[in-house]
């Protein structure tokens, strides 16, 4: 046992600490603790008594309900902290981990190298493994200890550093800690479950039920309690505490009436919080390292937009063909085969004969193939079995009636007009369960009937416009890509798609990376080590922007370059597509700050993207939405930007158009809203949002 440096000023002083996680049961119940400078303080207690909570409160990871903690630490690099959770970045290796924490502490590369070599050798940490996941539990614990000691800080707080460490190395660690305190005036607070090893500490705090039941040198503890071992002392004191109800009752009274004083300041905050380029460099290097390690994932996030655009292009490539349509041809009751036996009229002859056959022939030009039916009822059964999309029935004398109908001038004078009209009308029953197929089939049937008649009129030398609908339509904007009058739904769907992708991909990547860091405790450890939220976020932002630029450039090249979609206003379109990443990235910072569960984040993200796509206008035009939904549409961060992208790319609109300004306005507003939300979450929680569920 070593002598206690009792005359030193306290390096850590805890007074009246109260802590509850759930607002009901208290983990710390008015705890007092004094750690003198240049000493080892061994904190002992049964599992769950609050040791880690106390250490986390000392280093500023956990906020107190009441009480005060004062320390001799001036800056965060004065503290070396090893959390119980270890909180190491799994994808770093040994050297990278030590270099990261060394850089945060402001060490030079040379100092880091020297110190790392020493600690690696002393703590027997393997260096040949490619990342920290490949280390065993004990090896990881030793690496975590090395990270806490890398900059040789004056105050060292270690939560169970010797668990899983063999007895020889355990003794070396204790000898090293004694050396640090006695020769270098360092202060060490250490928790352990191996009670006897704390006999080497200068002072032992015995903790039970949220209070220290005793705080003294090992020698005094043994003699005052007349025990042969510290284990025996602890059992004895615990028994005494059981009998001392008074203390508990007093504490309960304070808790019940909330009469404890609220802490005037957080446990330990760095006095200078200015931006440090060395720490920023450490964060940037860490994030780039992960990009390198996650190369396949990054590649995936770049490939997903390209492939989605490519798939959307080919998925909407053509009509859903061929269609199968049942035919009941009463004009040829012996079957439509009769059509083949029929001699189709010569090109020149003006003839209405066998029009149903000509109609069926023309159907094939629209990829609609007739399936001969004996009756309408047989067809209905086939429609219900999804074997055909519908039934078309030609009445008996269809051709003759249509000729007579054409010749009716004026129709009202003819006494047989109803019969003629009925016989010249084709009956159609359609499945109608698929709105797009139903719509296209109807359009084709109209077209085919008009084409068939137009053919006859052509041969008869009659004016074609008589059989056409009395309306003439021409497009104002023609797709440059297609250069035809035909409408292509992809021209309006893909601009929405690229916008959704540019919002979603940076958001998903950012959330995944940030959430992983936060949940493994590494984010909290970095904050305790001195990284400011600003440095952390800006370094993530730099990396995210680079990845987003790659995603945006490759997706735009694919869509506007390779597939040739219209991009009449190149600068505005590309700026809109690029800017769409801003709210996505901002959201990726915000969500992990306020949600602690990976499952919840996954569900929220997926739900959010589904919701935004549903109300983006890609599935159905916004003009057709329910008025209530339309009034809420501005809540979708992709709504105005996708419309603006469509108009700038397809029509060449620029900043003089309000639609384009709305697009940019909405993007910037959402970015600002998310940034304010991040700021509020950080400021209102006093940085605790970074610390995960501990806070
Ligand atoms: N983040 C948290 N949220 C809710 N409860 C918590 C949290 N952290 C700790 N607790 C609870 O606080 C109590 C004290 O936990 P703590 O980890 O401080 O104990 P400990 O003495 O360090 O235990 P051990 O020796 O097993 O590590 C436990 O009952 C635990 O369930």
């Amino acid at each position: 046992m070593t002598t206690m440096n009792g005359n030193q000023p306290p390096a850590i002083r805890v007074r009246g600490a109260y802590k509850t996680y759930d607002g009901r049961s208290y983990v710390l119940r008015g705890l007092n603790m004094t750690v003198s400078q240049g000493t080892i303080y061994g904190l002992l207690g049964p599992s769950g008594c609050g040791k880690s909570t106390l250490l986390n409160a000392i280093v500023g990871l956990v906020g107190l309900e009441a009480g005060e903690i004062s320390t001799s630490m001036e800056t965060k690099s004065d503290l070396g902290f090893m959390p119980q959770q270890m909180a190491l970045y799994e994808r770093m290796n040994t050297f990278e981990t030590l270099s990261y924490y060394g850089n945060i502490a402001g060490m030079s590369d040379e100092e880091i190298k020297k110190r790392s070599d020493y600690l690696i050798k002393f703590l027997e940490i393997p260096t040949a493994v490619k990342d920290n996941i490949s280390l065993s539990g004990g090896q990881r614990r030793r690496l975590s200890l090395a990270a806490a000691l890398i900059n040789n800080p004056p105050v060292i707080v270690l939560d169970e550093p010797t668990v899983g460490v063999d007895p020889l190395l355990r003794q070396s660690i204790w000898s090293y800690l004694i050396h640090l305190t006695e020769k270098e005036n360092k202060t060490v607070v250490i928790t352990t479950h191996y009670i006897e090893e704390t006999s080497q500490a200068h002072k032992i705090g015995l903790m039970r039920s949220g209070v220290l039941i005793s705080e003294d040198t090992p020698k005094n503890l043994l003699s005052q309690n007349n025990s042969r071992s510290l284990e025996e002392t602890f059992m004895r004191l615990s028994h005494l505490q059981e009998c001392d109800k008074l203390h508990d009752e007093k504490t309960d009274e304070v808790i019940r009436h909330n009469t404890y004083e609220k802490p005037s300041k957080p446990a330990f905050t760095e006095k200078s919080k200015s931006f440090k380029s060395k720490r920023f460099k450490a964060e940037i290097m860490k994030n780039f390292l992960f990009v390198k390690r996650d190369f396949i994932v990054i590649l995936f996030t770049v490939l997903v937009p390209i492939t989605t655009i490519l798939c959307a292009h080919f998925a909407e490539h053509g009509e859903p063909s061929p269609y199968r349509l049942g035919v009941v041809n009463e004009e040829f009751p012996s079957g439509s085969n009769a059509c083949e036996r029929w001699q189709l009229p010569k090109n020149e002859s003006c003839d209405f004969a066998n029009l149903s056959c000509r109609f069926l022939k023309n159907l094939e030009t629209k990829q609609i193939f007739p399936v001969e039916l004996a009756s309408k009822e047989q067809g209905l059964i086939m429609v219900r079995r999804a074997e055909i999309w519908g039934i078309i029935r030609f009445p008996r004398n269809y051709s003759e009636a249509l000729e007579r109908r054409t010749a009716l001038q004026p129709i009202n004078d003819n006494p047989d007009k109803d019969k003629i009209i009925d016989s010249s009308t084709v009956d159609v029953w359609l499945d109608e369960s698929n709105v797009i197929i139903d719509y296209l089939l109807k359009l084709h049937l109209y077209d085919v009937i008009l084409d068939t008649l137009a053919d006859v009129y052509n041969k008869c030398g009659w004016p074609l416009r008589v059989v056409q609908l009395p309306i003439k339509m021409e497009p104002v904007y023609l797709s440059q890509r297609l250069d035809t009058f035909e409408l292509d739904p992809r021209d309006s769907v893909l601009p929405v798609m690229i916008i959704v992708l540019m919002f979603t991909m940076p958001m998903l990547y950012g959330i995944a990376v940030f959430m992983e860091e936060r949940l493994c405790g590494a984010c909290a450890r970095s904050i305790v080590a001195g990284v400011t939220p600003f440095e952390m976020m800006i370094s993530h932002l730099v990396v995210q922007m680079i990845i987003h630029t790659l995603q945006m450039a490759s997706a735009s090249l694919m869509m506007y370059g390779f597939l040739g979609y219209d991009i009449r206003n190149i600068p505005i379109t590309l700026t809109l597509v690029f800017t769409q990443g801003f709210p996505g990235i901002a959201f990726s910072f915000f969500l992990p700050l306020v949600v602690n569960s990976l499952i919840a984040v996954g569900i929220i993200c997926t739900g959010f993207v589904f919701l935004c796509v549903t109300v983006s206008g890609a599935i159905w035009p916004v003009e057709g939405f329910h008025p209530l939904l339309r009034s809420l549409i501005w809540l979708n961060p992709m709504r105005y930007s996708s419309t603006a992208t469509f108009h700038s790319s397809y029509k060449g609109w620029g900043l003089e158009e309000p639609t384009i300004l709305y697009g940019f306005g909405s993007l910037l507003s959402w970015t600002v809203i998310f940034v304010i939300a991040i700021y509020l979450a950080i400021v209102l929680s006093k940085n605790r949002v970074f610390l995960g569920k501990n806070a």
Side-chain angles (χ1 to χ4, degrees):
M1 199 194 302
T2 49
T3 46
M4 184 187 158
N5 305 348
N7 48 356
Q8 297 262 23
I12 299 167
R13 194 168 174 275
V14 182
R15 287 291 170 269
Y18 285 86
K19 172 69 191 170
T20 173
Y21 288 104
D22 57 11
R24 282 172 283 123
S25 53
Y26 276 71
V27 179
L28 303 182
R29 303 160 66 86
L31 183 137
N32 298 317
M33 176 197 201
T34 309
V35 183
S36 306
Q37 187 132 0
T39 63
I40 300 180
Y41 188 105
L43 187 60
L44 291 179
S47 178
C49 72
K51 299 182 295 295
S52 299
T53 302
L54 176 59
L55 296 197
N56 288 344
I58 290 170
V59 302
L61 258 180
V62 152
L64 292 178
E65 265 59 56
E68 222 170 76
I69 299 175
S70 51
T71 72
S72 61
M73 295 177 272
E74 301 244 306
T75 67
K76 293 212 174 173
S77 52
D78 287 346
L79 170 71
F81 174 53
M82 176 190 167
Q84 191 180 37
Q85 201 190 351
M86 287 188 277
L88 294 172
Y89 287 106
E90 292 185 337
R91 284 167 295 164
M92 282 182 179
N93 63 29
T94 305
F95 281 117
E96 288 157 355
T97 304
L98 296 179
S99 165
Y100 171 69
Y101 286 106
N103 271 309
I104 291 178
M107 295 167 74
S108 70
D109 290 350
E110 209 178 308
E111 286 171 326
I112 294 173
K113 169 93 181 62
K114 221 164 111 195
R115 189 84 179 134
S116 299
D117 287 346
Y118 169 72
L119 289 168
I120 285 170
K121 193 154 170 253
F122 166 57
L123 292 168
E124 298 168 20
I125 306 166
T127 51
V129 287
K130 70 176 191 323
D131 53 34
N132 292 338
I133 314 174
S134 317
L135 294 175
S136 74
Q139 290 165 341
R140 248 181 271 176
R141 196 164 284 277
R142 278 177 271 150
L143 175 60
S144 181
L145 173 60
L149 300 175
I150 185 76
N151 62 326
N152 204 9
V155 178
I156 302 161
V157 177
L158 308 172
D159 201 348
E160 301 189 6
T162 52
V163 173
V165 175
D166 67 75
L168 266 181
L169 186 55
R170 227 160 55 202
Q171 188 45 51
S172 305
I173 292 173
W174 271 94
S175 304
Y176 180 63
L177 295 179
I178 291 165
H179 164 84
L180 286 179
T181 49
E182 294 190 342
K183 302 281 182 249
E184 299 183 29
N185 200 30
K186 314 276 183 202
T187 307
V188 178
V189 181
I190 181 169
T191 67
T192 175
H193 280 281
Y194 308 116
I195 295 184
E196 288 310 321
E197 72 181 14
T198 48
S199 60
Q200 301 168 84
H202 298 98
K203 198 196 253 188
I204 294 176
L206 291 179
M207 191 170 174
R208 200 158 188 275
S209 310
V211 288
L212 286 182
I213 51 178
S214 183
E215 200 182 33
D216 213 332
T217 63
K219 194 171 160 198
N220 289 350
L221 280 173
L222 288 173
S223 62
Q224 279 162 17
N225 294 283
N226 213 6
S227 327
R228 273 157 300 161
S229 68
L230 284 169
E231 196 130 11
E232 199 183 322
T233 309
F234 184 63
M235 299 300 282
R236 199 165 286 197
L237 285 167
S238 300
H239 178 72
L240 280 177
Q241 192 212 17
E242 282 288 305
C243 309
D244 182 12
K245 293 284 175 208
L246 190 65
H247 170 87
D248 261 353
E249 277 164 20
K250 263 195 220 151
T251 315
D252 287 346
E253 194 71 4
V254 170
I255 288 169
R256 216 177 359 257
H257 298 295
N258 256 358
T259 51
Y260 46 65
E261 274 179 33
K262 300 277 178 275
S264 53
K265 61 182 174 69
F268 166 51
T269 44
E270 189 168 10
K271 297 197 172 73
S272 147
K273 282 190 192 165
S274 57
F275 184 90
K276 288 240 170 71
S277 57
K278 192 97 180 140
R279 286 194 306 237
F280 182 65
K281 189 181 136 206
E283 283 296 302
I284 285 273
M285 303 276 284
K286 174 201 76 187
N287 292 337
F288 274 114
L289 185 76
F290 293 161
V291 167
K292 203 170 108 194
R293 296 275 144 85
D294 281 340
F295 180 70
I296 301 292
V297 179
I298 305 287
L299 193 67
F300 190 72
T301 69
V302 175
L303 287 180
V304 165
I306 303 177
T307 359
T308 310
I309 287 169
L310 208 57
C311 289
H313 176 78
F314 286 109
E316 295 174 50
H317 177 61
E319 278 203 26
S321 63
Y323 308 99
R324 282 158 54 87
L325 204 61
V327 177
V328 181
N329 195 344
E330 291 176 357
E331 196 170 36
F332 295 101
S334 59
S336 289
N337 283 344
C339 283
E340 279 161 30
R341 289 199 302 275
W342 260 88
Q343 200 58 24
L344 287 175
K346 296 249 171 351
N347 279 350
E348 314 77 46
S349 65
C350 169
D351 193 343
F352 274 77
N354 60 357
L355 272 184
S356 60
C357 290
R358 294 199 234 173
F359 186 99
L360 292 174
K361 192 95 197 131
N362 282 344
L363 273 185
E364 288 176 18
T365 62
K366 304 282 183 189
Q367 294 289 302
I368 303 173
F369 296 98
V371 175
E372 199 170 310
L373 301 173
S375 64
K376 173 192 153 194
E377 285 66 33
Q378 183 201 356
L380 287 175
I381 292 170
M382 289 179 79
V383 170
R384 286 189 192 112
R385 284 198 207 131
E387 290 168 358
I388 51 176
W389 278 109
I391 310 155
I392 179 164
R393 183 174 68 187
F394 296 95
R396 232 151 49 89
N397 306 328
Y398 170 67
S399 305
E400 188 195 331
L402 197 58
E403 184 175 12
R404 291 181 66 195
R405 179 176 177 160
T406 313
L408 287 177
Q409 292 291 344
I411 196 163
N412 278 338
D413 294 347
N414 194 314
D416 288 338
K417 62 178 188 294
D418 289 338
K419 207 167 142 211
I420 291 170
I421 289 169
D422 285 347
S423 298
S424 60
T425 302
V426 176
D427 293 314
V428 176
W429 295 266
L430 290 179
D431 180 316
E432 304 220 351
S433 60
N434 183 313
V435 72
I436 293 175
I437 291 194
D438 178 56
Y439 171 75
L440 289 171
L441 266 177
K442 278 179 183 161
L443 272 184
H444 290 326
L445 289 174
Y446 287 132
D447 275 355
V448 168
I449 211 150
L450 287 177
D451 286 351
T452 312
L453 267 183
D455 191 39
V456 176
Y457 270 54
N458 205 12
K459 283 165 189 162
C460 296
W462 300 336
L464 278 182
R465 284 162 69 179
V466 175
V467 282
Q468 285 166 345
L469 290 173
I471 186 165
K472 196 174 161 211
M473 289 184 264
E474 279 186 34
V476 175
Y477 291 102
L478 261 189
S479 163
Q480 289 176 327
R481 181 173 59 94
L482 300 171
D483 209 14
T484 68
F485 287 87
E486 271 189 39
L487 282 176
D488 188 336
R490 290 175 296 185
D491 283 324
S492 47
V493 171
L494 263 82
V496 181
M497 197 149 275
I498 195 169
I499 284 296
V500 171
L501 287 165
M502 288 307 107
F503 178 82
T504 313
M505 294 318 293
M507 177 188 83
L508 291 180
Y509 178 73
I511 286 176
V513 171
F514 209 27
M515 202 67 194
E516 185 192 357
E517 275 191 23
R518 215 170 140 254
L519 291 186
C520 77
C523 192
R525 190 170 181 173
S526 300
I527 296 268
V528 169
V531 179
T532 64
F534 183 70
E535 290 158 353
M536 192 174 274
M537 296 221 144
I538 295 295
S539 70
H540 271 292
L541 185 66
V542 169
V543 176
Q544 288 239 46
M545 287 308 270
I546 292 172
I547 298 173
H548 174 57
T549 309
L550 279 177
Q551 291 166 338
M552 177 265 175
S554 54
S556 303
L557 260 180
M558 171 57 74
M559 184 163 150
Y560 300 114
F562 182 66
L563 298 176
Y565 279 84
D566 289 357
I567 176 159
R568 287 183 167 96
N569 193 332
I570 297 174
I572 293 293
T573 308
L574 293 185
T575 313
L576 277 165
V577 173
F578 185 66
T579 318
Q580 186 63 56
F582 295 3
I585 292 172
F587 188 65
S588 81
F589 287 151
F590 172 68
L591 196 62
L593 288 181
V594 290
V595 181
N596 275 325
S597 139
L598 202 56
I599 297 174
V601 163
I603 291 172
I604 292 172
C605 271
T606 318
F608 185 63
V609 173
F610 270 128
L611 202 65
C612 289
V613 171
T614 308
V615 294
S616 64
I619 298 173
W620 194 251
V622 175
E623 291 74 6
F625 284 14
H626 186 281
L628 182 66
L629 188 58
R630 222 184 309 167
S631 67
L632 296 173
I633 207 74
W634 57 271
L635 287 169
N636 180 353
M638 291 165 251
R639 161 71 191 108
Y640 292 108
S641 46
S642 55
T643 307
T645 309
F646 168 73
H647 287 298
S648 69
S649 60
Y650 198 73
K651 301 181 180 175
W653 286 7
L655 288 174
E656 67 288 349
E657 295 290 340
T659 307
I660 305 296
L661 291 177
Y662 276 143
F664 279 115
S666 149
L667 284 177
L668 294 179
S669 309
W670 276 110
T671 309
V672 170
I673 289 170
F674 289 137
V675 169
I676 292 174
I678 293 167
Y679 178 77
L680 287 179
I682 295 173
V683 170
L684 293 180
S685 72
K686 302 194 179 84
N687 288 355
R688 299 207 172 281
V689 278
F690 285 96
L691 310 180
K693 50 189 178 179
N694 278 337

